[in-house]
Amino acid sequence: MSRTTATVAASLPDHWEQLVTTALLGTDRRTPPGVAPGPQTPSDLLDAAAAATVRRRAGLCPARPAERLRPAPEDPRPPLPHAAARRLAALLADRPGASGGGRRGAAPDLMELLPQWLQAANARGYAAPPQALPALLDAARGRTDLRPAALRFAGPRALWLARLNPDWRFALRAAPGGGPSAPGLRDPQGIRRLWQEGLFAERVTLLTVLRSRDAAAARALLEETWATERAEDRLMFLDSLRAGLAPDDETFLERALADRSRNVRETAAELLSALPASALAARMAARAAACVAVDRTRDVPTIVVEAPHECDAAMERDGVVAKAPAGRGERSWWLGQLVEAAPLGTWPGRLGGRTPEEIVALPVADGWQGELHAAWCRAAVRQRDAAWSRALLGEPSAPEAGGPGAVSLAERARLLAALDAGERAAWVAGFIETHGLSEAFQLLGVCAVPWAPPLGRAVVDALNIARDAGSYPWSFSGVMGLAERCLDPSEASRLDALLAIPDEPEDAAPGAGSYWSEAFQRLVTTLRLRGAMLAELTPGEPAP
């Protein structure tokens, strides 16, 4: 130790926190205690820190040995094939942001393929390799969208690791049964103990898992402590009833309509309105029907609307929010809530026995069409009614399907979710063929993966048309990214003709052809990589 170090060590008390604070702020802003300011102050600070470190280590008393860890539980699932395990290691080693942004090049984005790989591995019931668990937990920590699939694949050993590393504690909250004292579902005393004594995250997880196995038991558990729960906790617990919502939940939800929290009341009313046979749904149907009728005295039968003139206490109890948002009229605001909460089965009888398609086709007087159709859209989404969703979507080739129209593209995307995968893909393919790709991104996001052949062909053809038009591919980067993840890998060979740099028209953007060639090269490479990934997870299946 130098003379300066010895002097500082002898004169400076061991104030470690003060040294750390000084180092963070800088010696030009704060002088270490016991050190004179001057040009040597930074060196003196480092000497003091070195001396304090030795002092702290030398003064550490030996601790009692910790209890030996119990071995990690066994994972009974079959191990991954060797090729798939190597692929997983490569996917986990790729980190976002390594390229620094800018031009992507022709290389696939491996991290964007990880969710599909996990989904395929889980579908085949494989266990995660033990050596991959730390990287898998790190990836799930950084991307919440990965967590359900990653934790399912990681299995019980990941939870064992998560109890040893604070950075991975999210797994204990997110995984079913992840808590340190999580009971088995056949242990009623353990379930009740955890419900009464557990942390909030553990209780939410317990209620969610129990609800998926025994809805009545989960509801009974919630009823036991409902009156003593905090309002924000009641809201989260109530939200767990969405899974497996059934008529048996009505009595409990009706009581929740009188809750002192407005958010709890609104959530209870929303859940009740999703039960078409509930008393609340009947009350909302009566209110909504009183506001909407068909005027048969006109040359063409027309829907007429008389919005509510007030929002009374009974409406508020049933979840109608009295205060309209800024820029919205009160009466239209109340009307929308009533129609949204009314069972869609109300309208054929109320409007002359017409089908949903015939009702949607009727003209609406006095500018109420947008409000009425938007409320029917929300009702169709909430009630997952395919017939009404189909009617409100209309034909994809219709001019109004591309917007603005009475039903927005965002509403159409939500309506599509109520249709089966094949019908969904066919509708979006028809939309793209008529309206192009510029408005199709959010519609493509709700289609099943891999895309059905008609939809995949429609997307590729539209991209080819955009390339031939001479524009830059950046305007279609979102769709191109979706295509990389969603096109069927068998489409790769059909795209080889698009890899060449095309002849650029005179009015084309400079260099656009080479950018398109690069983008299609990345698309083809990614599709072939996805095909190889699936083959590796299916032993005996030849790679494409």
Side-chain angles (χ1 to χ4, degrees), residues 155-174:
R157 291 174 174 172
L159 301 182
W160 181 86
L161 280 175
R163 296 185 184 107
L164 304 177
N165 185 345
D167 289 344
W168 298 333
R169 289 297 174 90
F170 70 89
L172 303 179
R173 299 187 297 270

Side-chain angles (χ1 to χ4, degrees), residues 108-273:
D109 187 342
L110 298 185
M111 275 300 289
E112 288 304 316
L113 297 181
L114 182 58
Q116 281 193 23
W117 189 96
L118 290 171
Q119 182 182 17
N122 284 331
R124 291 160 175 78
Y126 287 120
Q131 66 273 18
L133 291 177
L136 193 61
L137 287 167
D138 282 340
R141 181 189 177 211
R143 285 183 56 176
T144 56
D145 62 308
L146 280 178
R147 290 182 183 178
L151 294 178
R152 179 184 169 191
F153 177 63
R157 291 174 174 172
L159 301 182
W160 181 86
L161 280 175
R163 296 185 184 107
L164 304 177
N165 185 345
D167 289 344
W168 298 333
R169 289 297 174 90
F170 70 89
L172 303 179
R173 299 187 297 270
S181 57
L185 293 178
R186 296 181 180 178
D187 179 10
Q189 291 184 348
I191 288 174
R192 180 164 279 99
R193 186 184 311 112
L194 180 59
W195 179 251
Q196 293 174 347
E197 302 174 5
L199 299 175
F200 173 69
E202 293 175 325
R203 299 177 74 208
V204 171
T205 300
L206 173 66
L207 192 64
T208 302
V209 174
L210 189 59
R211 179 73 176 176
S212 66
R213 306 288 181 87
D214 189 342
R219 186 180 62 251
L221 199 67
L222 182 56
E223 287 181 299
E224 286 182 8
T225 59
W226 180 258
T228 60
E229 303 288 356
R230 299 183 306 166
E232 55 268 33
D233 294 352
R234 292 199 303 277
L235 184 62
M236 288 292 294
F237 293 146
L238 194 62
D239 202 58
S240 69
L241 299 186
R242 294 182 189 277
L245 185 66
D248 290 344
D249 299 318
E250 181 179 0
T251 302
F252 172 68
L253 293 172
E254 275 284 344
R255 290 201 299 270
L257 290 176
D259 196 271
R260 55 187 179 274
S261 166
R262 188 188 73 180
N263 290 333
V264 171
R265 293 195 303 271
E266 291 175 1
T267 301
E270 179 188 345
L271 293 173
L272 282 168
S273 68

